[in-house]
Amino acid sequence: MKTNDIMARLRAKYPGESEYLQAVQEVLESIEEVYNQHPEFEKAKIVERMVEPDRIFSFRVTWVDDKGEVQTNTGYRVQFNSAIGPYKGGLRFHRAVTPSMLKFLGFEQTFKNALTTLPMGGAKGGSDFDPKGKTDEEIMRFCQAFMWELWQCIGPDQDVPAGDVGVGGREIGYLYGMYKKLARQYNTGVLTGKGATWGGSILRPEATGFGALYFTQDLLHHAGKDIKGCKVALSGFGNVAWGASTKALELGAKVVAISGPDGVCEIPDGITPEMIDYMLVMRASNRDRVEDMATRFPDKARFTPGKKAWSVPCDIALPCAFQNELSEDDAKELKANGCWCCCEVSNMGCQPGAIHFFQHNGILFAPGKAVNAGGVATSGLEMTQNAEHISWSGKEVDEKLHFIMKSIHEQCVKFGTQPDGSVDYVKGANIAGFMKVAQAMLEQGTV
Ligand code: GLU
């Protein structure tokens, strides 16, 4: 296998699908050497098969807004790979959603899910629907119209969607209500991220952020460092940033910045529990403005429009928002301001130039598919509880999540340790995830 040849073919076949091509290139570059030591992979054309989604559903979603006007969006479900289990992955509602974005996310999800140690294949879906400025009623009508099309593609043993950017507990509720009505199936396992009283797992809302901090803690320990007292800058103020801030505080770190599309809020004395609670209010308002934090807490937070969280001096940077949100210039600014670690919590949050800069300038770096896997891992735990018709305690779920994050860190160390003793977490995560999926595909024959 030659990465360059495969990439040239994909670029010609899918011109303009930049996020998808970026995600594939990153994985192929890191697995090329290992892959070429396995002639059986080459013979079965594993890579050529793995980079193509199994299938993509695309559908029109028509709904009526509060003014009575008819609106039309496009919905998708990309079922990427089912080698190690039923399709599993979130739904993203964002104006920028395209097939390329969902293909990149589905591809990443396949390896991430493999890392969790649980039997889940990879998928992603969503719509170009923009939740910004929409009322609760509009969100409900859109979710219902979306499920009208999606319900036939999913099922508890087939494909299990969950949340992602723009899809949280409220949206999962509306989607689940409509699924039951259409399918007349009452199996809670068809979606994860449900409410705690109707099949949801305790700690699922916190899981992505909590898991990211458990991973960061392990990475720091491995490097002989401690998170206690560290200054953390993070982007976003949604579900992931909320969970990450909560756990960062619990572990003794200080969150000195959060950000949004409108700018950054600097919090010199560190975020407080009250401010973390307020993130939930900001998310539910659909205003998508981080400035609201500074308006609500003028003594604690200082808002600067147009700036990113990466302009604020910190020890640890945690991108928690969107793909490619941290550029090479941002990486340089972070280093100049004293940052020495970046754990990517968003999917593909760092641009290739930024990752390259971190890795060549002694900054500890770990990729999203390892760092943020606690979210989907806890979705897997939710599926287990649903299948058994039981509900575990918070303590039980937290212990399992902690164990899974530890095992993901161990896999990264196993496959990513370099001759000089340092760990290349990108390589480690990609090789560990790839080997598991590739082996399963091989054993299941040419399908
Ligand atoms: N959207 C999350 C992710 O990127 C969670 C997916 C899930 O729980 O299925 O992994």
Side-chain angles (χ1 to χ4, degrees):
M1 185 264 281
K2 284 207 180 67
T3 299
N4 287 348
D5 294 351
I6 295 184
M7 288 314 301
R9 277 206 297 277
L10 288 178
R11 255 182 237 114
K13 191 168 171 190
Y14 301 114
E17 296 201 357
S18 59
E19 298 105 332
Y20 163 69
L21 295 167
Q22 181 186 335
V24 172
Q25 170 132 17
E26 185 206 284
V27 170
L28 296 195
E29 273 171 1
S30 36
I31 59 146
E32 183 169 337
E33 202 184 316
V34 171
Y35 188 88
N36 288 335
Q37 292 160 5
H38 289 267
E40 70 277 19
F41 289 165
E42 183 73 29
K43 184 161 177 277
K45 295 274 183 288
I46 293 291
V47 153
E48 286 81 348
R49 290 157 58 192
M50 202 184 260
V51 299
E52 293 282 349
D54 287 357
R55 64 192 69 79
I56 304 180
F57 298 101
S58 166
F59 43 89
R60 175 172 52 76
V61 184
T62 297
W63 56 285
V64 180
D65 69 17
D66 282 355
K67 293 193 220 82
E69 271 176 38
V70 175
Q71 301 286 346
T72 297
N73 290 100
T74 311
Y76 308 93
R77 185 71 179 164
V78 179
Q79 296 183 334
F80 218 103
N81 189 297
S82 66
I84 64 168
Y87 301 106
K88 180 82 195 90
L91 297 171
R92 178 174 288 195
F93 292 171
H94 190 277
R95 62 186 182 283
V97 161
T98 57
S100 163
M101 193 191 290
L102 298 177
K103 276 171 68 183
F104 121 62
L105 288 163
F107 182 72
E108 290 277 297
Q109 196 82 43
T110 302
F111 302 104
K112 180 194 322 192
N113 293 3
L115 286 173
T116 64
T117 72
L118 303 174
M120 298 183 289
K124 206 81 186 192
S127 172
D128 58 356
F129 170 75
D130 184 4
K132 189 173 171 181
K134 301 291 188 300
T135 64
D136 195 47
E137 290 71 24
E138 288 175 325
I139 301 262
M140 180 173 75
R141 284 197 294 278
F142 176 78
C143 288
Q144 292 175 336
F146 182 84
M147 186 52 85
W148 206 323
E149 283 290 332
L150 184 70
W151 76 276
Q152 280 173 305
C153 314
I154 62 176
D157 299 313
Q158 186 183 349
D159 183 352
V160 182
D164 195 77
V165 175
V167 179
R170 167 182 54 187
E171 291 75 14
I172 293 293
Y174 297 146
L175 290 163
Y176 183 58
M178 195 61 178
Y179 174 82
K180 285 190 298 176
K181 198 163 181 65
L182 293 164
R184 299 200 185 178
Q185 295 284 332
Y186 305 93
N187 189 324
T188 49
V190 69
L191 291 170
T192 59
K194 300 179 292 295
T197 56
W198 40 280
S201 174
I202 296 181
L203 231 66
R204 175 63 188 89
E206 292 86 348
T208 310
F210 278 24
L213 267 293
Y214 292 151
F215 188 95
T216 305
Q217 214 180 10
D218 279 348
L219 175 142
L220 296 188
H221 282 167
H222 193 80
K225 296 180 185 289
D226 191 357
I227 196 167
K228 235 192 178 89
C230 286
K231 280 192 272 177
V232 174
L234 57 83
S235 57
F237 56 86
N239 170 263
V240 176
W242 167 76
S245 304
T246 307
K247 193 47 95 180
L249 222 65
E250 212 181 293
L251 298 178
K254 194 159 126 181
V255 177
V256 293
I258 62 170
S259 66
D262 52 335
V264 64
C265 270
E266 202 173 333
I267 314 163
D269 295 329
I271 206 164
T272 62
E274 211 187 349
M275 294 167 90
I276 296 175
D277 284 348
Y278 194 64
M279 284 186 184
L280 299 176
V281 178
M282 286 159 63
R283 155 79 170 84
S285 76
N286 288 338
R287 283 163 54 84
D288 209 8
R289 284 169 52 154
V290 80
E291 187 180 2
D292 293 356
M293 183 63 88
T295 310
R296 173 72 184 77
F297 298 95
D299 303 339
K300 295 197 173 85
R302 200 169 50 234
F303 175 69
T304 311
K307 283 270 186 197
K308 294 185 184 178
W310 323 131
S311 62
V312 177
C314 66
D315 299 299
I316 301 171
L318 299 179
C320 294
F322 217 57
Q323 72 265 10
N324 291 325
E325 57 173 309
L326 199 156
S327 68
E328 186 173 344
D329 285 347
D330 296 328
K332 288 179 179 161
E333 189 171 5
L334 278 167
K335 170 142 171 88
N337 283 334
C339 172
W340 46 266
C341 173
C342 172
C343 282
E344 193 182 61
V345 193
S346 43
N347 291 308
M348 208 166 78
C350 295
Q351 295 179 16
I355 299 176
H356 193 260
F357 180 81
F358 287 144
Q359 291 181 327
H360 290 85
N361 286 276
I363 296 183
L364 295 166
F365 175 77
K369 61 170 77 69
V371 180
N372 75 27
V376 72
T378 308
S379 276
L381 300 177
E382 184 170 329
M383 288 164 72
T384 306
Q385 293 169 75
N386 293 158
E388 293 184 2
H389 301 282
I390 53 164
S391 177
W392 297 332
S393 68
K395 185 169 172 286
E396 219 171 331
V397 178
D398 196 35
E399 277 169 10
K400 287 188 165 65
L401 169 64
H402 213 145
F403 177 82
I404 289 171
M405 296 315 297
K406 261 203 178 329
S407 122
I408 296 175
H409 184 262
E410 277 162 16
Q411 294 176 69
C412 291
V413 171
K414 178 175 170 197
F415 289 100
T417 298
Q418 301 301 291
D420 67 357
S422 67
V423 182
D424 181 337
Y425 283 87
V426 175
K427 218 170 175 177
N430 284 335
I431 295 176
F434 168 80
M435 288 302 279
K436 191 168 168 189
V437 179
Q439 200 58 43
M441 287 175 72
L442 201 65
E443 287 165 17
Q444 291 167 32
T446 311
V447 288

